[in-house]
Amino acid sequence: MKSNSNTHQKKVVKKEIDRRQFIKKACLYTAGAVGTIGSLASGQQPVVSGSSVPGKMMYRRFGRTGLNISVVVAGEMDFLPMYERAYELGVNYWHKVGNFEHPGPEFFNGKDRDSFHCDMVIDTLDKEGAIAQFEWGLKQSGLEMIDFMKVHSLYRDPKDIKKYSGIFKAFDSLKKKGKTRFLSVAQHYKTAEILAACIESGLFDAIQPNFNVFSPPEMFDLIGLAEKQDVGVICKKVLAGGDRNWQRNSERRRRVEQEFQKSQLTLGQALLKWALDIPGVTAVVPLITNFKHLEEDIAVGFDTKTLSRFEAQSNRSTLEDFAENVSSDYCRSCGRCESVCPQNIAVADIFRYELYFSGYGNTKRARRLYREIPVDHNALHCDSCRDCEAACPHQLPIVSKLHQAHSILA
Ligand code: SF4
Ligand code: SF4
């Protein structure tokens, strides 16, 4: 027993050193060692499902697609060098390709097409519209094929899946031409109910739910269903509004951060590991807006030692207890308020855009999205009847939050 324990300790120390070396290297890079970009890309490690080599990215089987994807996925980053760095660190799945300026041909050119996977957002359920959007995005990307066509939060009710068949016809047509391979779905509204129906329909190969420490029990059921049906899961919004959203209870946060320091984790890393630890979760996709977060977030995909340590129930409880105490105004996008609202105010979307603004600092995008809400359904048209507040299972102060959101987003 004792010699096993010593061997284990040596392995642990070795992994610890590997992790520190990675962080040191990452800091050097962030400080300006840009010359390394791309030079290591061709030497990216082979992708092995469940790979757990210390200091190297872990990969997991992405459900029935059979693909092996990095446990940390990236996308929506502002600068091309960020993509190069993420690729160098082992990220092999790119989210929202063709929808943003990056990544485009300048990133993909010269890279082995088998070394990465990607998805593209589709914003319409209409067959011709979906094909047109896909073809445009494909051209933007410079790729010949985008692995996943992703239906992006378009359903308002589970019945919509069967009602709007155009999107499936568009997918079949593009798949026949070899332009895509799989269909996935992201959903912000009534997430658990609608994504469960998507899985049960058998039409989707992967899902992208919002999932974090605030998620209600039905979201855990959804992840369990996905696992049972062998549908891959990439979790979004795992940081639950970003760093600034977690400043509300600074004293409690300081104590929690001290707790995670023992495991050499930042709060953000602990949140990402929390999700990766749930059976059925394939990967997480944090919104990365700068190099510091890039290095921190991607490091979560490394080093199985800290992942297994984090699995300890005490750490999990610390995080969930913390969440409980700062969650009084975190919207879970369950939609219950909207189902009773006489004015059809887009409450969940408005609160999500407010988070983009104040949590992630993504101000331009937040304002653009808010402008896209039909004027009759924006926060200005709330008549303060407060029916929504009575319906909200989390007792959010919806009316005051709507006023606040409108003042920053309008
Ligand atoms: S208070 Fe505003 S958002 Fe809430 S139910 Fe009434 S009109 Fe709708
Ligand atoms: S405000 Fe409350 S009821 Fe409305 S979507 Fe958010 S969590 Fe659900």
Side-chain angles (χ1 to χ4, degrees), residues 60-96:
R60 287 179 181 166
R61 183 175 163 278
F62 195 26
R64 63 186 177 216
T65 68
L67 305 178
N68 288 310
I69 67 166
S70 48
V71 297
V72 181
V73 163
E76 290 186 81
M77 297 189 288
D78 286 341
F79 307 106
L80 182 61
M82 294 174 82
Y83 284 92
E84 295 288 6
R85 178 58 177 159
Y87 182 71
E88 184 183 61
L89 292 173
V91 171
N92 78 342
Y93 186 106
W94 309 103
H95 150 84
K96 298 192 176 179

Side-chain angles (χ1 to χ4, degrees), residues 331-361:
C331 172
R332 278 79 162 172
S333 299
C334 68
R336 286 186 200 151
C337 54
E338 294 185 26
S339 59
V340 299
C341 175
Q343 301 289 88
N344 291 320
I345 306 297
V347 177
D349 281 347
I350 294 169
F351 290 168
R352 188 157 49 85
Y353 304 154
E354 192 272 334
L355 265 191
Y356 291 162
F357 189 100
S358 57
Y360 298 122

Side-chain angles (χ1 to χ4, degrees), residues 295-337:
E295 301 289 353
E296 260 183 37
D297 292 352
I298 292 178
V300 169
F302 292 25
D303 190 7
T304 51
K305 173 184 161 287
T306 48
L307 187 64
S308 58
R309 187 190 294 177
F310 182 73
E311 282 167 8
Q313 186 57 35
S314 59
N315 277 7
R316 174 173 289 280
S317 303
T318 302
L319 199 51
E320 288 170 352
D321 178 53
F322 177 46
E324 189 62 33
N325 281 276
V326 295
S327 72
S328 58
D329 67 350
Y330 183 78
C331 172
R332 278 79 162 172
S333 299
C334 68
R336 286 186 200 151
C337 54

